[in-house]
Amino acid sequence: DTGVSQDPRHKITKRGQNVTFRCDPISEHNRLYWYRQTLGQGPEFLTYFQNEAQLEKSRLLSDRFSAERPKGSFSTLEIQRTEQGDSAMYLCASSLRGISSYNEQFFGPGTRLTVL
Amino acid sequence: SQQGEEDPQALSIQEGENATMNCSYKTSINNLQWYRQNSGRGLVHLILIRSNEREKHSGRLRVTLDTSKKSSSLLITASRAADTASYFCATEARMDSSYKLIFGSGTRLLVRP
């Protein structure tokens, strides 16, 4: 257990439905990342928050995807009008960047999304 | 898109043998990290090597970094069945203010009892 939690762990939905995932990072970590991982591939970066500010979004993040991190604590990732191609594992990670630290990211267990 | 490639894609060894995995990447980096992922689960951080370091050890793990060749290797010594997992290298690109990680495609390691 890395201290990063994600909910739900599994989600099965029908095409066209909206889904929302939650990530709770390690409490003192100011950076939060979302990645997506498809079968047999490494994770791919989706978006990044520093505190409550969303500072970068990948071109993988279409306009059907939205992420928030209110108050700089937990984060949500919402997918609207899901498509079968959205089926993947969605991973959340957090890190604390300090003067002498390097960016070790701690990953949650992931949310596996299946779109039927 | 993936930052780099890992080699081999799959590796099967006998318990007690050493396992070596290689990673190549494309851009200048701040650091390179190795992660392990058990089937269908989250990633566990194994080791981080900075761009000014050439070798690092942690328990049975040994990581090397050659920035001139843009490559790294992970050596697991005296492997155990519990080491069976997928191993990913990930790079933090220099001049990237987000410090996001760019992952390779991974090596699937099977350690036979």
Side-chain angles (χ1 to χ4, degrees):
Chain A
D1 183 0
T2 62
V4 178
S5 61
Q6 292 187 246
D7 182 69
R9 296 289 303 276
H10 303 273
K11 179 70 177 178
I12 299 174
T13 191
K14 293 182 179 179
R15 188 177 54 186
Q17 298 294 305
N18 299 344
V19 294
T20 300
F21 310 141
R22 177 181 170 122
C23 170
D24 286 90
I26 294 172
S27 59
E28 63 268 26
H29 283 186
N30 59 350
R31 295 167 183 260
L32 187 147
Y33 302 81
W34 285 98
Y35 294 84
R36 182 171 69 186
Q37 184 179 24
T38 54
L39 197 62
Q41 298 297 314
E44 293 181 292
F45 169 77
L46 290 179
T47 190
Y48 151 67
F49 290 84
Q50 181 163 325
N51 301 312
E52 67 276 6
Q54 187 175 19
L55 297 184
E56 186 172 339
K57 294 192 288 187
S58 162
R59 65 182 185 279
L60 294 175
L61 215 65
S62 75
D63 56 6
R64 296 184 298 104
F65 288 72
S66 62
E68 295 182 340
R69 191 183 183 197
K71 303 178 182 178
S73 55
F74 71 91
S75 176
T76 58
L77 178 67
E78 180 183 18
I79 309 174
Q80 296 183 327
R81 305 181 303 281
T82 52
E83 302 173 355
Q84 288 184 325
D86 297 331
S87 295
M89 175 80 89
Y90 290 84
L91 295 163
C92 173
S94 69
S95 72
L96 177 65
R97 187 85 179 191
I99 296 173
S100 60
S101 69
Y102 281 74
N103 188 34
E104 176 183 345
Q105 294 187 18
F106 295 83
F107 281 80
T111 294
R112 182 170 297 282
L113 173 66
T114 301
V115 181
L116 302 176
Chain B
S1 62
Q2 305 292 323
Q3 157 73 295
E5 297 297 323
E6 293 183 62
D7 171 56
Q9 291 187 333
L11 180 61
S12 179
I13 60 174
Q14 199 71 34
E15 198 166 30
E17 295 179 339
N18 295 342
T20 299
M21 292 159 254
N22 302 296
C23 166
S24 61
Y25 58 91
K26 298 175 183 175
T27 62
S28 295
I29 61 172
N30 284 329
N31 62 66
L32 183 145
Q33 304 177 38
W34 285 89
Y35 286 82
R36 182 184 73 220
Q37 185 177 39
N38 292 95
S39 179
R41 302 176 71 176
L43 290 102
V44 174
H45 185 269
L46 296 177
I47 195 165
L48 180 153
I49 187 165
R50 301 171 188 172
S51 59
N52 62 351
E53 297 176 315
R54 292 297 166 260
E55 186 171 313
K56 203 162 182 179
H57 297 253
S58 176
R60 293 184 296 114
L61 305 180
R62 172 177 169 258
V63 170
T64 62
L65 178 65
D66 187 336
T67 53
S68 66
K69 295 181 179 178
K70 291 187 168 58
S71 68
S72 174
S73 68
L74 171 68
L75 169 67
I76 304 174
T77 60
S79 64
R80 306 166 181 168
D83 294 329
T84 294
S86 291
Y87 291 81
F88 295 91
C89 69
T91 53
E92 180 187 307
R94 187 164 296 173
M95 306 302 291
D96 183 348
S97 61
S98 77
Y99 310 109
K100 63 180 175 286
L101 294 176
I102 306 298
F103 285 83
S105 52
T107 293
R108 295 186 305 280
L109 173 65
L110 172 65
V111 181
R112 305 186 304 275

